[in-house]
Amino acid sequence: MTQAEIAATLIELFGAEVLQTIAPGSWQIETSAFRLLALVSEDNSWLRVLLPIMPLQEAEPFLTQFLEANFDDTQETRYAVYDGVVWGVFQHNSGTLTSADFASAIARLKSLYETGLNDVFNQLIETRIRQIVQAAKQQGQSLQATMQNLDRFYAEGLLGEIDQNAAVREQVLTAWRNRLEKLWDEQY
């Protein structure tokens, strides 16, 4: 893609009114929701598209899950860390990049931004539930005993929110119970 084709695709996706040319080969899209940067290398051989996702401080407990997502889920985009920020990043050789692939990568970056911590948080919870199942089985506990322990942890305030009402607590415990039941018969 040439710089003119990149700019044209950005205009097609976002509109001319939000496209800002920062410098030759550098564009910014700023909306009320996000700020996206598209940068061509000095020799015009590479295009990098960047979208800040969240401050690193918020993401630090989930860095392992972000890296695992890079391996399995992010497709042509990647999570990256720079200057205290988690970014969604797409890099591609400009000469072989098509408008369709460029548009697809931008859609994927927007999806990473919109998802935020949801997917990596759910992945962390899944890992923790599997650890609970494995530990319970190694201790010879039954599914029922494991659920009783979780009920007790909630009652003692070790799990859940402090100001959680009974209905929300029951909803969370039901979700735990359902997931534990599904995972209980897996081999560990």
Side-chain angles (χ1 to χ4, degrees):
M1 290 184 77
T2 66
Q3 289 189 24
E5 291 170 322
I6 293 167
T9 301
L10 290 170
I11 289 171
E12 182 180 318
L13 293 172
F14 298 102
E17 64 279 358
V18 296
L19 178 65
Q20 301 170 17
T21 302
I22 301 169
S26 299
W27 302 270
Q28 176 174 286
I29 302 292
E30 191 149 1
T31 71
S32 60
F34 61 84
R35 182 174 59 116
L36 181 133
L37 301 169
L39 311 167
V40 175
S41 64
E42 286 185 25
D43 65 358
N44 289 319
S45 64
W46 282 91
L47 171 68
R48 178 183 292 174
V49 183
L50 308 157
L51 180 64
I53 305 288
M54 70 187 55
L56 177 59
Q57 187 174 1
E58 290 177 28
E60 278 185 311
F62 308 99
L63 288 180
T64 298
Q65 286 71 35
F66 278 114
L67 290 174
E68 287 174 354
N70 277 350
F71 190 81
D72 282 333
D73 302 327
T74 60
Q75 297 176 5
E76 72 276 18
T77 58
R78 295 285 177 259
Y79 288 106
V81 174
Y82 180 74
D83 201 25
V85 175
V86 173
W87 297 80
V89 179
F90 169 74
Q91 295 185 130
H92 200 285
N93 181 309
S94 313
T96 59
L97 184 61
T98 66
S99 291
D101 288 341
F102 182 43
S104 174
I106 289 173
R108 185 56 130 169
L109 288 172
K110 287 172 51 182
S111 175
L112 294 180
Y113 173 80
E114 291 164 359
T115 300
L117 284 176
N118 290 342
D119 287 351
V120 294
F121 178 76
N122 290 337
Q123 186 179 5
L124 177 63
I125 294 302
E126 179 78 9
T127 300
R128 296 280 165 84
I129 292 172
R130 288 179 185 279
Q131 290 171 342
I132 289 169
V133 168
Q134 184 177 18
K137 284 184 167 189
Q138 287 175 347
Q139 294 173 9
Q141 287 185 4
S142 66
L143 175 60
Q144 182 180 7
T146 303
M147 278 308 302
Q148 287 173 347
N149 282 336
L150 288 175
D151 284 335
R152 189 188 62 174
F153 290 155
Y154 267 91
E156 293 173 358
L158 296 173
L159 292 174
E161 300 292 326
I162 292 173
D163 57 351
Q164 202 171 51
N165 66 39
V168 171
R169 179 176 170 256
E170 188 55 39
Q171 183 180 16
V172 170
L173 283 171
T174 298
W176 273 92
R177 187 175 299 111
N178 291 340
R179 195 64 195 134
L180 281 172
E181 287 172 354
K182 287 179 183 174
L183 294 174
W184 197 260
D185 293 328
E186 289 186 12
Q187 298 296 319
Y188 288 96

